[in-house]
Amino acid sequence: MTTRATRLKRLIGAVTVAATVAAVAACGSGDSGDTAADGTVTLEFAQWWGAELPAGDFDKIINDFTAQNPNIKIKLLSAPYASTKQQLVTGAASKTLPDVVGLDGAWVNDFAKQGAIADMSKLMTDASYDPSQLASQIQLDGKTYMIPVVNFVYPLFVNKDLLTKAGVADVPATRSEFLDAAKKISATGDNVKGWALPLDTAVPNGIQNDVMSWLWASGGSMLTDGKPNLTSPQVKSTVEYVKSLNDAGVIAPGSLTMKEQDKVEKFSNGQVGMMIDSLAHINLIKKNKPDLNFEVAALPAEDGYTGKRGIPYASWGIGISNSTKHKAEAFKFVSYLMSQETNAKLSTIANGFPGNKNAEPDFSDSDPLFKAAFDIYKQGYPANEFVGLPKAEDLMRSFDEQLQLVLTGKQSVDDALAKSQESWSSVIG
Amino acid sequence: MTSAHVEPVTAPPVAPPAGRPAPGRARVNPARRLIPYAYLSPTIVLMMVLMVVPIVMVVGYSFRDNVIVQENPVLVGFANYTKVLTDPDFLVALKNTAVFISVSTVAHLVLGLGFALMLNTQLLSGVTKAVFRIVYILPWLFTIAVIAVIWRLLLDPAGVVNYVLQTLGLVQEGVNWLGDPSTALWAVTFANVWSGYPFFMISLLAALQGISADLYEAAAVDGAGPLRRFLNVTLPQLRPVIISMAVLDLIWTSQQFALIWMMTGGGPLNTTEMLSTYTYKQAFSEYEFATASAAAVIVLLLTMVLAFFYVRQQQRER
């Protein structure tokens, strides 16, 4: 081997070692919340919102903030919902959460108990922020850990053409009317069914959106004083009603492994006449099936119920990492997103409802269905009892498994509720 | 005849040349001895960071009281292992995984060998074999996410599979393949078989093409028919490849997560719950990272048993 070749090999070896050491060192150094030499603070903001908004719209809102606050930069970490959740769970565990985090209400309790997200009540006080303008706050032991920025409600979607074909004149407003309409739609043939019930256990939010929504629509509750009360007559009535829909054969087949997107697909294709779904899907349905004649309505309530109807919702919530060095700057950004003007703008482009009470979304360019849904929302009240509960997804999954046993005839409703109560009690206490 | 006594000749000691150390006792500059390690160091560092450290951490987590979500977890010995091994859901997942990987591996092997033999035959023209080769390898080109979506659509109660079966009069009404507890495990296994047989096919085809024609000619001269040639020539020649592929497939299939998660999520009623989905749920749904770690270590140990057989097989081949 020539001396030249030997030197070259040594050089390559040395460079490789240096590069590896540098890479490993880089892995260990976080750049979250960096402060530049000129005092500019860069905040990392992890969320799934950017991916769900029209391209570039969220960037404009962020750019407006940085224009108003030149000493704060925002680094957006946008990923789909499921990826964001996994990243935040691992980040919370390793105390490396980004400075500002998009949150789902179902995660709050666990993150707060880990000490991963900050008490925002204190930050509000420090910043002299008026919390009365907020539509809601997600609290634990009296401290705010998440602020819902935009809310998405889940009304009843009804295929008007199928309803007419089935000979049903009015959109069902009660449980018995719904059962009757579902039976008539199912009787039209061509594998069309009245309702879709997604009970897939991978993402078991069908329990929240498609099952417990019946309970909340009649003013019911699955909790008493914050503790599970699944054996109550109201919950039993709800599960028995879902079972009656199943027994009547009006639920689209495959519900035990059906996902939310399958439900939307079946409704869009005219394979089911009714579904409970997020307003966020209106544009998707209109885009995929422009001719689909559908409308949104309040969820049917128990016969004879005259009170306000709870309507399930999901939120784009926001929180602040407990480990960030720049909590004040982070809260400045949060308060910007929650300001009347920005919040109205954000909820308009998101086709959701604002987290600021005073913000009015602009429906002038939106589909009329959003205005209709907003009216339903204002007549009722947002209801989602899973928000703030510990291990919320696991609670949904254990209930889901018991409900699946009921629907497959392997268990009675009473046994399912008793077992769910026992399972939930071990988590919630 | 007299015998001559020959004195053994002892070679005079030869002193090593001045300035040149004796063989095996070379005095190497210590710095030069480190050079090979310097070359290896990037790999060693990466292996430490990416493999050894995480594995050690997971093993450590499995012996503590719910780590990560607790600030000061304490050692609990084998409590997490006891909890996992006595959890009925884990035992169901273990049974399902055993069925899933064994059926998948056998089916991969049978299909892969069948198609490889077809593509290796002299009975088909080159063009026909090229077309078949493209068609048969297609499943391998799709990502798992696409495969899951395709098969969810095909197996939908109102999907293509049921339409074909109903048209042929084989079923009266659409079968709920993924939503029915009695068919779900077989449905996801079928999708996994479909996605995985091309790898066997390509590997076995390469092995088939490496078998010397002389062996077949010799067998033919001995009067062996096609079946005997297959049993006595082809299979013994393919044996090392088949064993290696089968063990690797058992390892890979035992780690299958995405397909199950996207097709059934472990349902309905846990009938498709695998060790991978069970572990994921423990960690990311129940936030029980300690039991998830214990489950992961159990899977690691089971996989190491398979890996042991694979390595031993590889050593035998040498």
Side-chain angles (χ1 to χ4, degrees), chain A residues 131-208:
Chain A
S132 67
Q133 62 187 301
L134 300 175
S136 59
Q137 302 173 56
I138 308 305
Q139 297 185 322
L140 202 67
D141 300 329
K143 296 173 183 171
T144 299
Y145 288 94
M146 176 187 123
I147 299 174
V149 181
V150 182
N151 295 314
F152 299 91
V153 296
Y154 283 65
L156 179 70
F157 285 56
V158 182
N159 183 325
K160 291 285 286 176
D161 287 343
L162 281 178
L163 214 60
T164 307
K165 189 179 173 187
V168 182
D170 299 318
V171 173
T174 65
R175 288 185 185 178
S176 52
E177 286 176 12
F178 184 88
L179 176 59
D180 181 59
K183 279 181 181 172
K184 287 177 175 165
I185 291 171
S186 303
T188 58
D190 292 334
N191 290 323
V192 173
K193 293 290 179 183
W195 189 45
L197 173 62
L199 291 178
D200 179 64
T201 49
V203 184
N205 59 3
I207 293 300
Q208 171 186 282

Side-chain angles (χ1 to χ4, degrees), chain A residues 5 21 37 45 56 62 169 184 186 212 215 241 289 360 402 424:
Chain A
V21 171
F45 178 26
I62 301 299
K184 287 177 175 165
S186 303
M212 288 302 177
L215 171 73
Y241 179 67
K289 293 285 172 184
E360 275 282 335
Q402 295 302 324
W424 284 28

Side-chain angles (χ1 to χ4, degrees), chain A residues 172-179 211-221 232-242 244 298-310 381:
Chain A
T174 65
R175 288 185 185 178
S176 52
E177 286 176 12
F178 184 88
L179 176 59
V211 177
M212 288 302 177
S213 49
W214 292 97
L215 171 73
W216 301 326
S218 302
S221 172
S232 70
Q234 287 176 315
V235 179
K236 186 179 175 185
S237 160
T238 300
V239 176
E240 282 178 338
Y241 179 67
V242 171
S244 73
L299 261 65
E302 271 187 301
D303 297 34
Y305 177 73
T306 54
K308 277 195 163 191
R309 298 184 186 199
Y381 64 93

Side-chain angles (χ1 to χ4, degrees), chain A residues 9 86 93 262 391 397, chain B residues 39 68 152 262 280 285 288:
Chain A
K9 279 184 93 174
Q86 282 182 26
D262 299 327
K391 300 183 181 181
R397 181 171 289 121
Chain B
Y39 284 120
I68 294 181
R152 278 185 67 86
M262 295 186 74
Y280 181 87
S285 176
E288 294 284 349

Side-chain angles (χ1 to χ4, degrees), chain B residues 44-307:
Chain B
I44 292 170
V45 170
L46 281 175
M47 281 180 66
M48 290 292 290
V49 172
L50 299 177
M51 293 177 67
V52 178
V53 171
I55 289 173
V56 170
M57 284 175 72
V58 169
V59 173
Y61 288 166
S62 70
F63 290 109
R64 290 176 179 272
D65 177 24
N66 202 15
V67 283
I68 294 181
V69 292
Q70 289 194 12
E71 293 222 36
N72 299 304
V74 294
L75 278 171
V76 293
F78 286 91
N80 292 320
Y81 288 91
T82 309
K83 188 178 170 191
V84 168
L85 290 170
T86 54
D87 183 353
D89 288 345
F90 177 81
L91 300 177
V92 168
L94 189 65
K95 189 195 84 183
N96 291 340
T97 307
V99 172
F100 181 67
I101 63 173
S102 53
V103 172
S104 293
T105 305
V106 170
H108 281 159
L109 177 61
V110 172
L111 280 177
L113 182 58
F115 289 139
L117 288 169
M118 185 190 287
L119 294 175
N120 196 47
T121 182
Q122 304 296 322
L123 301 173
L124 297 175
S125 73
V127 175
T128 310
K129 284 197 279 190
V131 172
F132 280 174
R133 193 184 295 234
I134 293 168
V135 171
Y136 290 150
I137 209 166
L138 275 177
W140 205 27
L141 306 181
F142 296 117
T143 61
I144 287 294
V146 174
I147 290 167
V149 171
I150 288 173
W151 280 101
R152 278 185 67 86
L153 290 172
L154 290 173
L155 296 173
D156 188 272
V160 174
V161 170
N162 279 321
Y163 175 78
V164 171
L165 293 176
Q166 280 175 307
T167 306
L168 295 174
L170 296 173
V171 296
Q172 293 301 313
E173 57 181 33
V175 180
N176 191 3
W177 298 103
L178 294 173
D180 187 334
S182 64
T183 55
L185 180 59
W186 304 111
V188 292
T189 306
F190 184 85
N192 188 56
V193 168
W194 183 83
S195 69
Y197 78 83
F199 184 59
F200 269 76
M201 182 186 79
I202 292 295
S203 305
L204 291 172
L205 181 58
L208 279 173
Q209 290 173 346
I211 300 175
S212 171
D214 295 349
L215 294 172
Y216 290 109
E217 285 172 15
V221 169
D222 288 345
L227 181 61
R228 187 155 293 280
R229 285 203 295 273
F230 175 72
L231 293 174
N232 289 1
V233 178
T234 308
L235 275 186
Q237 291 294 311
L238 292 180
R239 189 173 164 272
V241 179
I242 288 174
I243 292 176
S244 299
M245 297 284 300
V247 177
L248 281 178
D249 197 35
L250 284 171
I251 294 170
W252 292 334
T253 310
S254 69
Q255 292 159 1
Q256 179 63 274
F257 169 75
L259 185 73
I260 307 292
W261 192 250
M262 295 186 74
M263 286 187 76
T264 60
L269 299 173
N270 290 347
T271 49
T272 61
E273 190 83 288
M274 302 287 157
L275 293 174
S276 55
T277 54
Y278 173 87
T279 306
Y280 181 87
K281 284 176 184 172
Q282 287 288 317
F284 289 97
S285 176
E286 299 189 26
Y287 304 114
E288 294 284 349
F289 288 91
T291 48
S293 301
V297 171
I298 292 168
V299 174
L300 176 69
L301 293 174
L302 293 174
T303 312
M304 281 175 74
V305 173
L306 296 172

